[in-house]
Each structure stands twice: as C-alpha cells, then as structure tokens.
Amino acid sequence: MSAERTVEVPIRGMDCDECARHVQAALCAVPGVRSANVLLATEKAILQLDPQRVDDTAIREAVAAAGYEVGGPAAAGPSAATLTRQVLALFGIVCGVALLVVVAGEWFGLFATLTARVPWLVGVAIVALIGWPVFLNVVRAALRRQVISHTLMSVGVVAALAVGQWPTAAVVAFFMRAGDYAERFTTKRSRRALKDLSALAPQLARVERDGAEVVVPATDVRPGETVVVRPGDQAPVDGEVLSGQATFDQAAITGEAMPVDIGPGDRVFAATIARLGSVRVRATGVGADTTFGRVVRLVEEAEAHRADVQRVADRFSAWYLPVVATIAALTLLLRRDPLAMAAVLVVACSCSFALATPIALLASIGAGAKRGLLVKGGKYLEALARANVLLLDKTGTLTTGAPRLTDIVPLDGLPADEALALAASAERYSEHPLAEAVRVAARERALAVAEPAEFAALPGLGVRARVDGNLITVGNGRLVAGAAALADLEARGKTTLVVARDNQPIAVLAAADTVR
C-alpha cells in the first residue's frame, strides 16, 4: 500500500463559497483522493491522496469539469476580462441606482409614465447589462447541472421579464449584482489579510556551505544545515543554537513584548528577529514545517472548519429552489395568473441566508488574522456565543505590549534616582527594548543622563559603559552576580537588571509588560 501524500493545488476562477464547494465535490469524486479542502481565500485546494492512483491530469480534469482552472496566481496587471467585468459592474451600479430612483419616483407618483415609455427589448438589455456577470455564472452552473444561490433570483428575473415587468427584473438584478460585489470585496479583503500574514515570513537565509557563508532563499535551507543569524535578521528556520549570544524579539510567534536572550542549546523560531548579537543555528524545521509556517497554514485552513449554521445554510439552499418552483407552479395552476407566479419567484430568495453566512464567517476570520487573532474556523466563532468563561493571554490583550520599568531597588543605601541615572547613562546607546524602558523612566523623573565615555553592548548579557569615570555595568544575573533582590522580583514574573559600579552591585531594576 502506497504512502498517502498531501498536495496543494492552485485553482483560478473561484469567486464565492459555492465555487469552492463545487470544486471540492469534484475533487473528492476523483478515485484515490482521500480528502479535499478547497480554500477560497487562498485560491487553492489541499488534497490527501494516493499518488499511485491519482496524477496531475486527473486533478486538472476534475477541476476543469467543475468549471475552473488549475494554475498559478493571476498576472499582476489587470486582464481584459477583469477590465470588462469592472466596466460592466460600474455600468450596472449606475443603471441600478438610476432605476431605483425611477421606481421610487413611481411609488410617489412622480414618474407614472416614464418606465412605460421604455420599449420592452430596451428594458431586457438594461437588465442583462446590470446582472450579466451573475447571469453568466448561473448559466455555467446550469450547464454543469448545478444549482447556486443566484439561480432562484435569476429565475425570478426571467419570470418578471416574461410578464412584462422589466423594471422589477432590473431591481432584482441590481440587488444580485450588489450582493455579488459585496461577496467579492469581502473575499479580496480576506485574501489580502492572508497575504499580509504570509509577508512576515523570512525570505533569505545565510547558510554555511562548503566552508563559506552563502545567502539563499529561506525555502532552500535543508534540515541539519547551519544558519547564521546576525543583528536585525529574521531567523529563517526553526532550530537549535550552536554558538553565539543574541537577544531575540519573538513577538511574531509568542506575542510576548519582552525580548528573550538566546544562547547555545536554546531554541530559535522562524520569523523572530535578532535585535542584538549573532548566533549560529542548526536548522530543525524549514518552510511550512516551521512554527510560523504552521500558523499560516492554520489560518489558511480555518475556513474548512465550517460552522453548524453554515452547513444548515448549504442544505437550505439545496432544497429551497425546488420547493419555491413547486409553489410557483401551484400558484399559476390555481390562480391562472402569470404575474402572481412571477411574484412568488421574485420574493422567495434564499440569497440573504445562503450567502450572508459564509461571507460573515470568512470576513471575521480574515479580519482576525490581520490583527494577529487566529481563529481555527467558523464553528469556533459560533461556539463563542455559548461560552461562559474566557481565558485571555496577557500580552497585547490585557497589557500594553511594551516593557516598562516597575521597580528600583537600591543597594547599600544609594538613592534610587542616582542608581536610575547611572543605568540610563550606561544604556544611552543600547538598542535593547529594556534599555528603552530604563531611558523612559529616567525622562519621566527628569533625571540628568550623562554621556558615556566608553560603551560596549554584550549580546545576551547587557551593556558596559564608563560614566563620570566609573565603570557602570547593567545586565542580567549572568553578567553581574550577588544581588539578593533578584529572586523575589523574578518570582513575580518580572525581568530584572542588575546595575553595578566598578563591579559592585548598587541597584536592581525590574521591568514588566504593564496592565493597560
């Protein structure tokens, strides 16, 4: 028995949630495909398949049979079809708004004879231009023996035209067009949010190969290779530090505002940034196998976790059209009035139910991803309405997301302001986030900050500077030992700094991500 594989297939031409469902059904019907998740926001399908039974040709034929195309992303510039669609959309909106004004005027008796003067064929042309893109999708679906949410509205439009009510048909077509535009707009926003998230991924890596350091695309790094991360670089891989000291900003992965000091044996995550120092890292996870890659994939697959209300909407749309068609036929049979039958078809529209649900869910998931909130799918959003307890991670939610100085513990009777002024002078040129917290605290107290005669940053440890003839050291417990106040402050979840003058501890500073 052959091993199962996961394959990603780019798909072009999908515009709505129904398109994705039709492609998914077609792919699931291919022999050898175990499962298929078609993701509208990223325009691709994720397949679990048996590679000995399924080849590229079978997948392409299945997608083509559903009315779509396998291929890469669309070209950067607008195509002729796109421009034509935009022109038709603009024309349809202008005509639709004008028509609404006319119809409203008729209701108030202002345009009693205006629409009656328009020939029926001209009215049909106006209706066709307003709703042309939607009508085309309905025809394509009908040729594939599929019913989509706009099918019923299109039948209502035809019925209204058949009884001579072209203004009514045009109004219905206008609302179809407006709904179609709203769905496309929401889908594009969701795609843009995912692109913004993917843009955070590292693009290049410094790799040691054949005794030299070469720069390659991050996706070309192989597990086990040694990667060099310098100050300001993004870590291109997940891995273990072999040598070096550095301070990393891990907010992209953990959300924590406090930087992390990294040394040999510590873990490094892709997309985190080395603020100070350099390290050599042995790659253990690359590309999609990194922690950041899994986060992106989680967001992409979120729409596959369908909410219960969305499944209800899908089932509702499937049987609603036959029921409405039956009621319309009975109306015609009993009333002998084509206008009454047309009225049934026009007003009985399921689009608000069938389309609003997936649009709302996709928009919510996409908007959350753009703001750093990862929702695993629609069913979890729906479950939130029944939640009684909410557990919140502190960083960026209950706190400011930036470290602030919270404690100054002088040693040997030294005034707190004097200890803070010496620390701020030593940290004057440091780029470390904790150094900024020290400088801000000194400014808030209006303390005089001296110009250091010498300055050296010690990655992963702290800084050393000469201030007013004294050697001032500010750093963690590995750099300066002997401060008994460290344990108590660290037990309260704070990050500590020891200030030493001529290698003698004079104060302990503590910083934390403070509550909003």
Side-chain angles (χ1 to χ4, degrees):
M1 184 176 180
S2 61
E4 188 175 283
R5 285 179 51 198
T6 300
V7 177
E8 292 188 1
V9 180
I11 299 175
R12 294 170 56 182
M14 297 188 298
D15 295 319
C16 62
D17 190 64
E18 287 177 337
C19 299
R21 292 201 302 273
H22 292 153
V23 175
Q24 184 165 312
L27 290 172
C28 287
V30 176
V33 174
R34 310 286 173 78
S35 66
N37 279 330
V38 178
L39 310 177
L40 175 63
T42 50
E43 298 181 285
K44 68 180 179 182
I46 301 177
L47 307 179
Q48 297 286 336
L49 52 81
D50 181 348
Q52 292 189 355
R53 300 179 59 196
V54 185
D55 56 17
D56 291 344
T57 301
I59 293 174
R60 289 179 179 275
E61 290 177 351
V63 173
Y68 304 93
E69 179 184 354
V70 172
S79 63
T82 301
L83 292 175
T84 301
R85 192 182 191 96
Q86 292 174 348
V87 171
L88 287 174
L90 179 62
F91 180 82
I93 291 173
V94 172
C95 288
V97 171
L99 185 65
L100 287 176
V101 173
V102 172
V103 171
E106 281 196 319
W107 288 343
F108 291 103
L110 302 178
F111 304 106
T113 60
L114 181 60
T115 55
R117 295 177 181 271
V118 178
W120 182 79
L121 289 177
V122 175
V124 171
I126 292 175
V127 172
L129 287 173
I130 291 175
W132 174 253
V134 178
F135 295 148
L136 184 60
N137 285 339
V138 171
V139 171
R140 288 174 175 171
L143 293 176
R144 299 192 299 267
R145 298 181 180 180
Q146 296 171 347
V147 174
I148 63 177
S149 58
H150 282 142
T151 301
L152 179 58
M153 292 189 76
S154 299
V155 172
V157 168
V158 173
L161 290 174
V163 296
Q165 296 295 320
W166 75 263
T168 300
V171 171
V172 174
F174 170 74
F175 283 114
M176 290 171 62
R177 197 70 191 88
D180 181 64
Y181 174 78
E183 184 177 11
R184 292 176 187 276
F185 176 76
T186 305
T187 301
K188 285 181 180 179
R189 286 190 60 184
S190 298
R191 289 172 180 167
R192 188 163 57 248
L194 285 172
K195 288 180 180 178
D196 291 343
L197 180 63
S198 299
L200 297 176
Q203 303 299 315
L204 299 175
R206 307 176 194 273
V207 185
E208 293 182 354
R209 290 179 178 173
D210 300 326
E213 185 180 304
V214 296
V215 177
V216 300
T219 53
D220 289 350
V221 180
R222 297 184 294 270
E225 287 192 305
T226 300
V227 176
V228 178
V229 183
R230 294 178 178 172
D233 287 352
Q234 277 186 308
V237 298
D238 284 1
E240 179 182 350
V241 177
L242 298 175
S243 63
Q245 297 281 347
T247 301
F248 272 80
D249 177 357
Q250 296 186 339
I253 298 298
T254 66
E256 288 291 339
M258 304 299 290
V260 178
D261 294 329
I262 298 294
D266 292 331
R267 294 276 301 164
V268 168
F269 301 100
T272 59
I273 302 173
R275 295 300 184 190
L276 295 170
S278 299
V279 289
R280 295 171 63 249
V281 179
R282 180 174 59 83
T284 58
V286 299
D289 293 328
T290 63
T291 302
F292 183 81
R294 288 191 291 271
V295 169
V296 174
R297 187 164 63 248
L298 179 67
V299 176
E300 289 178 345
E301 295 177 353
E303 62 183 283
H305 298 274
R306 305 171 67 81
D308 291 339
V309 68
Q310 199 168 356
R311 287 191 290 269
V312 171
D314 294 342
R315 292 195 297 268
F316 177 83
S317 300
W319 58 257
Y320 189 60
L321 177 59
V323 171
V324 171
T326 301
I327 294 174
L330 290 174
T331 301
L332 179 62
L333 181 64
L334 297 176
R335 294 285 302 276
R336 305 289 182 179
D337 185 355
L339 192 59
M341 180 195 70
V344 170
L345 293 173
V346 169
V347 302
C349 171
S350 66
C351 289
S352 60
F353 186 67
L355 290 181
T357 302
I359 290 176
L361 292 173
L362 187 58
S364 299
I365 293 170
K370 190 173 183 179
R371 291 164 175 80
L373 177 64
L374 306 181
V375 181
K376 292 182 67 177
K379 66 179 181 180
Y380 302 105
L381 284 175
E382 188 177 24
L384 188 61
R386 301 188 294 273
N388 296 318
V389 178
L390 180 63
L391 302 180
L392 297 175
D393 178 20
K394 66 177 181 62
T395 304
T397 305
L398 303 179
T399 59
T400 59
R404 290 185 61 85
L405 203 66
T406 59
D407 298 88
I408 303 174
V409 183
L411 304 177
D412 298 331
L414 185 73
D417 283 356
E418 183 178 343
L420 178 58
L422 289 172
S425 300
E427 297 274 23
R428 183 162 187 164
Y429 297 113
S430 174
E431 299 177 353
H432 199 287
L434 291 178
E436 177 62 18
V438 172
R439 291 193 295 266
V440 168
R443 286 197 299 269
E444 290 176 347
R445 296 187 179 212
L447 302 179
V449 178
E451 179 75 21
E454 301 173 7
F455 173 81
L458 309 174
L461 298 175
V463 299
R464 183 176 286 124
R466 191 163 295 277
V467 180
D468 296 333
N470 298 310
L471 182 64
I472 304 299
T473 306
V474 184
N476 56 35
R478 288 184 294 174
L479 181 62
V480 181
L486 288 176
D488 177 61
L489 292 170
E490 291 176 347
R492 287 150 55 191
K494 298 183 178 182
T495 301
T496 56
L497 295 172
V498 181
V499 184
R501 180 167 52 192
D502 297 328
N503 296 322
Q504 294 299 316
I506 59 174
V508 174
L509 310 181
D513 189 7
T514 55
V515 175
R516 289 181 184 273

